[in-house]
Amino acid sequence: MESKVINRKYYLIGMIGCLFLFVLGLIGWCGGANSTHKDLRLRIEKISDFEMKNPYSTSVQFTFTDSLLNEGYSFGDYIVFGENEEGYDVPLHSCIIPSFTKPSVECIERYEANHHKNSKNINKLLYEYDYLSISFHDSVYFCSMQILKMAQDRNATICAIIPSYSISNKNSGVSDMEIEGVLLSQLVKESVNTEWMADSLMTSIYCELKEYCEKEHCNVGDNHVKNLTEALSIHKREALKCVSKDRIKKWLEMHNEQIRKLAKECPDIYNASSQLLDSYHWITPQNYKTVISISKSHADNWKYIDSWDYDDIRDKEEIDQICNIIGYDGDKESIDKFMYTIRFWCIRWDEGDAEWIYNWLKGIM
């Protein structure tokens, strides 16, 4: 009886020891797998035209050239990659744990409609008709799309950059793209100061405004500047903040007559220009910093607030302080439109282009 108890004790110790060794081995294996970590370069076969043309999109979808594993569908948790003769990474096989000798990517959770459950599989990197996507910040989306379109037009080799397995950062998402060996993020940084990017942006904005003017739209109030601003896609509004201002000014000067003609044909543009010109004199080099400090004290995101309510005690306090500074004693009950343009000119003075914009607006009226 005592012998059986001893044997069970040794069996239990042995099982715990084996489990401990297994865990140590798994940790060591994962450590070895982590040492193979690299940024994988996967060739892109096709970029979705729909996403590129969609004004509300913040991402672009694509399929891969080397997308299918020889073994087909698999439920492995990781995809193992290897380099082909051209130096691009291609999927080799799937496995339950990351590879010890080659870079691996953790699979993506996928909702299976037929089974009504989530299952890990090698889906988006491997299915012939599925897409993977990369999201861009609004400020660089327009520039990124222009560069990708140009690359596709000249049949350039485009790759998706996907970090492989790492203990500190398991990530199967796309971190960047690459065009002929140069990162898209780097190309965007270089392009924002180019003439062709400013021309692309301003031409696109002009076409969008012209299209807006040609359509019938309901009466959305008398804040014409706000109406026109909201008529533009968020990507183009954000791109204006990063594309070279000098290049944009040059484009505007070269297309003065074209814009003047559109302003005469489109009451919205004419009224928006008049609204800005009428409120210009309230903000000066002497008071704009004080007005900005008042706005900042009421809201950290003051640049993005686009409506004010005098009946609201917080808005009333801000409006009264600003009006006292600039000397405005007009109607405060319907001051929303006025505050919108005041904020516009404060930002323009702060960024140093208020006088130029004022003179340019007078030139197109």
Side-chain angles (χ1 to χ4, degrees), residues 103-136:
S104 312
V105 169
E106 190 175 20
C107 296
I108 305 167
E109 294 283 349
R110 180 185 175 89
Y111 178 74
E112 296 293 334
N114 295 334
H115 302 289
H116 302 289
K117 66 178 181 180
N118 285 320
S119 60
K120 276 194 173 181
N121 56 56
I122 55 179
N123 61 86
K124 291 191 175 181
L125 291 178
L126 309 175
Y127 279 171
E128 187 173 6
Y129 300 109
D130 264 0
Y131 291 90
L132 201 65
S133 65
I134 177 172
S135 296
F136 299 95

Side-chain angles (χ1 to χ4, degrees), residues 194-251:
T194 62
E195 188 172 338
W196 80 268
M197 185 59 76
D199 288 350
S200 298
L201 175 60
M202 296 309 296
T203 300
S204 182
I205 287 176
Y206 174 83
C207 292
E208 196 164 9
L209 287 176
K210 187 176 181 181
E211 187 176 320
Y212 171 80
C213 292
E214 291 172 350
K215 291 180 180 178
E216 290 187 11
H217 37 269
C218 61
N219 182 15
V220 289
D222 62 351
N223 194 342
H224 309 288
V225 177
K226 182 180 178 181
N227 296 341
L228 278 186
T229 300
E230 293 180 347
L232 298 176
S233 68
I234 182 66
H235 311 128
K236 291 169 189 173
R237 299 203 304 264
E238 290 296 315
L240 283 169
K241 299 174 184 177
C242 63
V243 173
S244 169
K245 285 188 179 180
D246 290 336
R247 301 288 187 183
I248 290 173
K249 288 178 181 179
K250 183 178 178 182
W251 188 94

